[in-house]
Amino acid sequence: MKTRILMVVMSLFMTVFSFAANELTPEQKVFQNSMKKFLREEGFSPTIDDVNSLTFKKEGELYWIDLGDSNPFYVEFHRVGFKCENSNRNYVLQACNEANRQVRCVKSFLGETSVSLVIESFCHSVEEFKYTFYKSLKELDKAYNIVRETYSNLDNGSSSYSQPFDISKIEVANVDKDNNIINGYGTTIYDFQTKYIKPRITVDVKTEGNYDIYVKFYSPKGLSSASDSPDGYTYKSTINMTSGSHTYTLYGWGSENKGNWSMGRYRLEFYYNGQRIAQKEFDIK
């Protein structure tokens, strides 16, 4: 089954909401059936999957349509992207940003392991959907091609942007002020035990040196910072990196007060020379 991607890759981080549900309203079902009939008449073989998405394939590639609201209907028109779990994540981020810049009507998303693309719109009638259907297909495919071509160029070293290291893995732990582990890396972090959230990064270093990594720490309430935080960031860590693949720990962020962080979804973003080079989402239970 297709992967739902929740992380949009643009100059600013955004969140997209999926309106697919197990049960559509009667009005939405009528609208979906009309779209399905149209697709069948156009020579596609549409089906309804287990989360009530209208799916079809074109030249072997998967597309799907999710519905929400009514009068007008909110329509999400998706195109599957590609798996990138073994790719240079920073290059994929740049490639998605380039697609978002060139094809404004399409949003390119990067999840933990894959890229996807979507066009969002409102339609009062199926006729409006029909009118823009082939244009939407064309724009989704255009954005996909830009992502693939831009990534290929970056990965082949043809980009003028050069980064001396790449972050390949991010883990988080819950520690006390003396860096004693409370909840270890890769284990569940519980809200009532939280003090300092400490990230650990695995880095592939091309050129050794001292590098300043800026961190943005987002709690469910937004960006967390203090009076001495760098402007626009949570904190900065300077790391002496040596060539090869190594693991480094950054500063912990939080408080010695037990239960400092509440239950919810959190995000760490890592920046070098003003470029976001990696990010990590995690849950505190």
Side-chain angles (χ1 to χ4, degrees), residues 31-50:
F31 192 87
Q32 186 185 67
N33 286 333
S34 296
M35 289 194 297
K36 184 178 180 181
K37 179 181 178 182
F38 164 72
L39 290 171
R40 188 178 293 114
E41 290 172 347
E42 293 299 300
F44 299 100
S45 299
T47 60
I48 308 297
D49 69 11
D50 56 356

Side-chain angles (χ1 to χ4, degrees), residues 174-175 182-183 188-197 255-264 266 283-285:
N174 176 36
V175 304
I182 301 172
N183 304 116
T188 301
I189 298 176
Y190 296 99
D191 60 346
F192 68 92
Q193 295 179 311
T194 54
K195 290 189 175 182
Y196 297 91
I197 302 300
S255 166
E256 181 58 18
N257 297 323
K258 203 168 185 179
N260 183 70
W261 299 109
S262 61
M263 184 184 303
Y266 290 74
D283 292 311
I284 292 179
K285 303 292 188 179

Side-chain angles (χ1 to χ4, degrees), residues 12-31:
L12 295 176
F13 183 89
M14 300 171 62
T15 303
V16 64
F17 299 95
S18 173
F19 287 85
N22 288 328
E23 292 296 332
L24 299 180
T25 67
E27 192 173 12
Q28 290 167 351
K29 287 181 180 178
V30 171
F31 192 87

Side-chain angles (χ1 to χ4, degrees), residues 237-257:
S237 280
T238 301
I239 302 176
N240 186 344
M241 299 185 185
T242 56
S243 297
S245 181
H246 304 281
T247 298
Y248 301 101
T249 56
L250 281 68
Y251 295 131
W253 186 254
S255 166
E256 181 58 18
N257 297 323

Side-chain angles (χ1 to χ4, degrees), residues 65-193:
I65 302 164
D66 291 332
L67 282 179
D69 297 335
S70 58
N71 296 321
F73 295 92
Y74 179 75
V75 180
E76 289 182 351
F77 193 167
H78 296 258
R79 184 203 195 281
V80 73
F82 54 91
K83 295 291 184 181
C84 56
E85 62 264 46
N86 297 319
S87 303
N88 182 309
R89 192 171 182 85
N90 181 56
Y91 291 166
V92 181
L93 284 167
Q94 292 182 69
C96 288
N97 283 335
E98 182 62 22
N100 289 329
R101 186 185 69 81
Q102 292 193 39
V103 189
R104 297 297 182 89
C105 64
V106 177
K107 294 178 182 179
S108 303
F109 299 91
L110 173 59
E112 288 296 323
T113 61
S114 61
V115 170
S116 189
L117 307 103
V118 63
I119 293 177
E120 301 167 296
S121 63
F122 286 97
C123 294
H124 286 90
S125 67
V126 174
E127 292 304 314
E128 291 183 11
F129 171 77
K130 292 179 181 179
Y131 184 75
T132 60
F133 173 73
Y134 282 104
K135 179 63 174 176
S136 295
L137 274 180
K138 181 179 178 181
E139 295 301 296
L140 285 167
D141 291 344
K142 180 179 178 181
Y144 172 84
N145 289 331
I146 290 172
V147 173
R148 290 304 298 255
E149 290 171 8
T150 303
Y151 177 81
S152 178
N153 290 336
L154 290 167
D155 198 42
N156 288 333
S158 60
S159 171
S160 60
Y161 175 70
S162 178
Q163 186 175 298
F165 61 90
D166 295 311
I167 297 176
S168 59
K169 185 178 182 181
I170 304 165
E171 302 167 288
V172 294
N174 176 36
V175 304
D176 64 16
K177 66 178 181 180
D178 297 317
N179 289 318
N180 295 311
I181 297 291
I182 301 172
N183 304 116
Y185 292 101
T187 66
T188 301
I189 298 176
Y190 296 99
D191 60 346
F192 68 92
Q193 295 179 311

